[in-house]
């Protein structure tokens, strides 16, 4: 399958030159000249590699690199006109895979693109495990990244809220008492009691339920505890 590359670069002549060379080498290429739209494409689209300029209108390359790395391991080659900037971004450890100083020879860029794609494929092929994901109706829990989405919208959870939700979702159709949940999620030294569980369940419901009075995920079993509904 044809590999797809996104170039985020505001200097159109440079972007076009890169595109021409990459297309000649058999890649599919998209260009975005703006940091903000480039970032949203990078986050939402399916690309095999990013070529990312540092200085961009809207959102700069530092920020784009950081945001992309939070969710994707796709290779990133960062380019900048200033050698000092390259040194700076190396130092920041943003997770870019390579750096090039402008002007560079397009054929060298193509060679690096190929090298990074090959390296990334080896990495994937060598069984880099996929993130462990639990999906129940509109609720998606990424256990590896510790992130939660409700109908595609991300919600922020505290550590214990996340642990509690994940524990229940992993053990559906099983009623747990508050005592059981407290001992499973909170360690022995924790200060608190079973009321902590109630408080956390309430907070979780506020984040995942459409109507907290009629929860569709975590049911209250009166006098006993809670059960995750599947
Ligand atoms: Ca620029």
């Amino acid at each position: 399958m044809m590999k797809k590359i996104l170039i985020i670069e505001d200097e159109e002549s440079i972007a076009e030159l890169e595109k021409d060379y990459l297309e000649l080498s058999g890649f599919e290429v998209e260009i975005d000249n703006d940091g903000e739209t480039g970032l949203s494409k990078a986050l939402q689209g399916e690309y095999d590699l990013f070529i990312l300029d540092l200085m961009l209108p809207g959102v700069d390359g530092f920020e784009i690199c950081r945001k992309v790395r939070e969710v994707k391991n796709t290779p990133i080659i960062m380019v900048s006109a200033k050698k000092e900037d390259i040194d700076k971004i190396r130092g920041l450890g943003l997770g870019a895979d390579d750096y090039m100083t402008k002007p560079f020879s397009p054929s060298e860029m193509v060679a690096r693109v190929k090298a990074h794609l090959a390296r990334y494929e080896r990495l994937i092929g060598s069984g880099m495990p996929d993130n462990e994901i639990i999906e129940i109706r509109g609720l998606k829990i990424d256990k590896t990244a510790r992130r939660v989405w409700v109908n595609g919208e991300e919600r922020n959870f505290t550590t214990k809220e996340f642990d509690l939700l994940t524990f229940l979702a992993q053990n559906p159709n099983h009623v747990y008492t508050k005592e059981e949940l407290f001992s499973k999620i909170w360690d022995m030294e924790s200060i608190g009691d079973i009321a902590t569980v109630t408080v956390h369940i309430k907070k979780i419901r506020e984040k995942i339920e459409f109507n907290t009075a009629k929860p569709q995920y975590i049911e209250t079993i009166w006098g006993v505890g809670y059960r995750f509904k599947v």
Side-chain angles (χ1 to χ4, degrees):
M1 216 174 71
M2 209 183 237
K3 296 283 183 194
K4 199 167 160 190
I5 296 169
L6 176 65
I7 298 172
I8 308 179
E9 166 68 72
D10 59 326
E11 283 169 76
E12 287 180 35
S13 57
I14 292 182
E16 288 298 334
L17 182 69
E18 291 174 355
K19 184 174 192 259
D20 289 347
Y21 270 81
L22 289 165
E23 282 180 346
L24 281 173
S25 303
F27 297 108
E28 190 184 337
V29 181
E30 261 180 50
I31 295 175
D32 198 290
N33 301 122
D34 176 78
E36 205 163 322
T37 52
L39 172 61
S40 72
K41 268 188 201 161
L43 291 176
Q44 285 155 27
E46 291 291 329
Y47 299 97
D48 298 291
L49 185 138
F50 301 110
I51 296 176
L52 182 56
D53 183 33
L54 189 60
M55 299 311 287
L56 291 162
V59 182
D60 69 18
F62 290 105
E63 188 67 7
I64 295 175
C65 185
R66 201 178 59 75
K67 289 252 167 73
V68 170
R69 267 295 167 269
E70 283 177 5
V71 288
K72 294 185 183 195
N73 293 314
T74 313
I76 299 175
I77 299 178
M78 294 196 76
V79 298
S80 173
K82 288 191 198 153
K83 167 98 177 41
E84 311 86 82
D85 285 341
I86 297 286
D87 294 338
K88 200 166 134 199
I89 48 181
R90 270 184 204 279
L92 283 174
L94 291 170
D97 298 273
D98 206 351
Y99 310 90
M100 296 188 82
T101 312
K102 289 191 242 181
F104 45 77
S105 93
S107 49
E108 193 198 335
M109 184 206 58
V110 170
R112 293 205 196 184
V113 164
K114 285 181 178 167
H116 285 289
L117 286 171
R119 186 192 53 83
Y120 189 61
E121 244 169 38
R122 280 198 304 276
L123 197 70
I124 300 288
S126 68
M128 195 175 73
D130 286 339
N131 281 13
E132 201 181 327
I133 297 200
I134 304 170
E135 266 190 292
I136 299 144
R137 298 184 295 275
L139 178 67
K140 178 175 160 187
I141 305 169
D142 183 332
K143 284 186 65 190
T144 318
R146 296 184 67 91
R147 299 173 76 185
V148 179
W149 291 263
V150 179
N151 298 321
E153 209 176 287
E154 188 166 9
R155 302 285 153 86
N156 292 314
F157 284 75
T158 66
T159 306
K160 293 300 180 198
E161 286 165 10
F162 182 87
D163 291 343
L164 182 56
L165 172 64
T166 306
F167 176 78
L168 287 167
Q170 280 186 135
N171 300 283
N173 271 337
H174 183 128
V175 182
Y176 290 95
T177 64
K178 289 173 191 173
E179 288 82 359
E180 281 171 325
L181 291 172
F182 188 76
S183 75
K184 283 188 195 302
I185 307 300
W186 282 265
D187 53 49
M188 292 307 191
E189 286 91 83
S190 283
I191 302 166
D193 53 49
I194 56 166
T196 312
V197 177
T198 316
V199 172
H200 279 73
I201 292 281
K202 182 171 177 284
K203 288 197 174 138
I204 292 169
R205 280 181 176 151
E206 283 164 5
K207 292 174 190 184
I208 65 170
E209 297 289 356
F210 177 68
N211 178 356
T212 53
K214 285 184 189 162
Q216 58 156 331
Y217 296 110
I218 301 173
E219 293 176 289
T220 301
I221 310 301
W222 292 108
V224 189
Y226 301 102
R227 175 174 63 198
F228 196 95
K229 205 152 75 170
V230 281

